[in-house]
Amino acid sequence: MALPSRCTEAPMSQEPSSHYVRTHEYAAGAARMQRVNFYAIPAADHEFCAQLETVNSDSQCFPEGEFVPPGFFERVHTEMFTLPPRMNDWKYQMRREAQMILPFLYLGPWACLKDRVWLDREGFTLLLAIRDQRLAHARLVSGEKAATELGIETYAVDTENNQELIMALPRAIRLINDHVSTPANAQSHNSSRRKVLLFCETGNGLSALVLIAYLMVMFNMEFPQALQTVQLQRFCIDLDESLKHIMLSFESILAAKRDVESSRRMASANPGLATLATNDNKKRYLEDSSDMEDNMDMDDHAGLFPNRRGTAPFQDRSG
C-alpha cells in the first residue's frame, strides 16, 4: 500500500508576487484544531455538595426582594434546599421523564406533562414553562391544559433572543421563590408544600439554564459547579456555546451584585466607617483641587520662570 505523498504546499509569503507579510511560523500540513467543550463536566462524585452552606437568610448574598420575596426564609424549610445524591442508574429513556433537582423543584421535557396521574401523585402546584417567543405564538410548550385539568397554577417565561434570556433569569428565579414561599391553597391541592415542575420543549436547554441560574443564586455556586449539579441528575442536558457564555455573563452580574450588597451591609453595620470613608474622599477631592489650582497659577505666572522654554509641536526647516 503506497504511502501518501508529503504535503508540498508553501506559504503565501514565499510566492514572488505575494504582498503577504509573514507574522507567524508556517507549518505545512498542520492538523486542524479540535473543538473542545467550553466546560468539561467530569464524572465526579457529589462530595462538593456536602461542603455547600445551608441556604438561609445568612447565606443569601443578595438584598431581600430581588431574588426572594420579603420574609422568604421565615416561610420555607431549610431542608427544602437539600441536594439529592448522584443518580447512578441513568437510562436513555429517562430523558422523556422529569428528574428531581431539589425536593420542590423538578426539571423535565414538555412531553412529561401528558402523564396527569404522575403530575397529581407528585403534588406539583406550578408548571413553569421556559420557551422561545415563537413557540408561545404557536401556543406550543404550554402547561395550560394540564394545569386546568389538575386545578393547579401555570406560568410561562418567553424570550425572543439571548439578550432577553439573561434579563429573564432573575424574573424566573423570583417566580419560583414567590410560589414556594406562598402557603398552599387547600382548595387547589392537598399538599401542604409547593412543588414546581420546570420544563421546556426538551428539558435540556432553556429550562435547564434557568435551573442552573437558580442554583447559582440560592447556593452561591459558580457556573461550572451548578452545571455539574444539574447534569448529575439529568444527564441529557445540553447547553450550546452561546448559552454557556450567557451564564458566564450572568455569573459576572451576580458577582457585582454580591460586592454591592456586601459593601451596603458593611456600611450599615459600621456607619462610622462609612462616614470616615466619605470624609476621606472629600478631603482627597479638596487636596486634588488645590493642587490643580496651584498648577494653573504657576502656568499663569510664567514670567517668574525666565529660563522656562516653550515646546513647539514642530520645527520649521523651510529657511
Side-chain angles (χ1 to χ4, degrees):
M1 179 170 156
L3 295 175
S5 58
R6 295 186 61 182
C7 180
T8 58
E9 58 184 334
M12 288 190 296
S13 58
Q14 294 182 5
E15 297 180 3
S17 60
S18 176
H19 296 287
Y20 176 79
V21 178
R22 182 174 58 186
T23 57
H24 298 282
E25 291 297 326
Y26 181 84
R32 291 184 177 179
M33 182 181 296
Q34 295 183 351
R35 183 176 180 273
V36 297
N37 290 331
F38 194 81
Y39 278 113
I41 304 301
D45 54 28
H46 226 207
E47 290 181 357
F48 70 86
C49 293
Q51 303 174 0
L52 295 174
E53 297 180 2
T54 302
V55 177
N56 52 37
S57 57
D58 295 330
S59 67
Q60 186 64 199
C61 300
F62 306 100
E64 193 177 56
E66 183 167 8
F67 294 109
V68 299
F72 175 80
F73 293 102
E74 299 173 3
R75 299 194 296 269
V76 298
H77 301 279
T78 55
E79 60 265 25
M80 292 172 55
F81 295 94
T82 303
L83 291 169
R86 172 183 177 178
M87 182 179 294
N88 294 314
D89 57 345
W90 176 266
K91 298 179 178 59
Y92 181 72
Q93 60 268 24
M94 293 174 68
R95 74 191 189 280
R96 302 187 183 93
E97 305 170 1
Q99 285 74 41
M100 180 182 74
I101 310 300
L102 289 170
F104 65 92
L105 191 54
Y106 281 57
L107 173 65
W110 179 39
C112 71
L113 270 63
K114 296 179 180 178
D115 193 344
R116 306 287 201 271
V117 175
W118 173 78
L119 291 174
D120 185 65
R121 184 176 66 247
E122 290 295 328
F124 290 108
T125 55
L126 173 63
L127 306 178
L128 180 54
I130 312 297
R131 60 189 181 182
D132 186 276
Q133 190 75 42
R134 291 167 295 184
L135 296 177
H137 291 323
R139 303 184 65 84
L140 298 174
V141 189
S142 171
E144 292 181 1
K145 186 176 181 180
T148 301
E149 292 181 11
L150 297 174
I152 60 177
E153 297 180 38
T154 184
Y155 198 87
V157 176
D158 302 327
T159 61
E160 187 175 358
N161 50 48
N162 289 347
Q163 185 65 29
E164 288 190 4
L165 178 59
I166 197 170
M167 296 172 61
L169 292 177
R171 179 160 53 96
I173 294 170
R174 179 63 189 267
L175 277 170
I176 295 172
N177 287 331
D178 281 344
H179 182 80
V180 299
S181 62
T182 302
N185 187 347
Q187 295 180 352
S188 62
H189 207 276
N190 295 327
S191 175
S192 60
R193 288 189 180 180
R194 299 284 197 163
K195 186 180 288 188
V196 179
L197 173 59
L198 191 62
F199 67 95
C200 60
E201 185 176 8
T202 63
N204 303 328
L206 295 180
S207 58
L209 195 79
V210 169
L211 209 154
I212 291 170
Y214 186 86
L215 296 182
M216 291 170 66
V217 168
M218 301 304 295
F219 288 87
N220 294 316
M221 290 184 180
E222 295 180 351
F223 169 51
Q225 192 180 24
L227 174 59
Q228 181 180 359
T229 302
V230 176
Q231 196 168 47
L232 286 175
Q233 302 305 318
R234 184 170 175 80
F235 290 6
C236 57
I237 66 170
D238 181 27
L239 304 184
D240 59 28
E241 297 300 308
S242 63
L243 294 181
K244 291 176 182 177
H245 281 287
I246 285 177
M247 296 313 296
L248 283 179
S249 299
F250 185 66
E251 186 176 48
S252 299
I253 293 173
L254 294 181
K257 288 180 178 292
R258 290 191 186 99
D259 290 342
V260 171
E261 178 63 11
S262 177
S263 299
R264 187 194 66 81
R265 293 181 183 182
M266 185 178 300
S268 177
N270 303 281
L273 293 178
T275 303
L276 181 62
T278 302
N279 292 336
D280 185 60
N281 290 335
K282 291 181 178 179
K283 181 180 178 182
R284 290 183 180 178
Y285 172 77
L286 292 175
E287 290 177 350
D288 293 342
S289 299
S290 178
D291 292 341
M292 184 180 298
E293 291 176 358
D294 292 343
N295 292 333
M296 291 176 64
D297 291 340
M298 291 176 65
D299 292 337
D300 293 339
H301 298 84
L304 298 177
F305 304 94
N307 296 327
R308 176 179 292 178
R309 300 178 59 185
T311 56
F314 61 88
Q315 183 177 1
D316 188 3
R317 297 180 181 272
S318 61

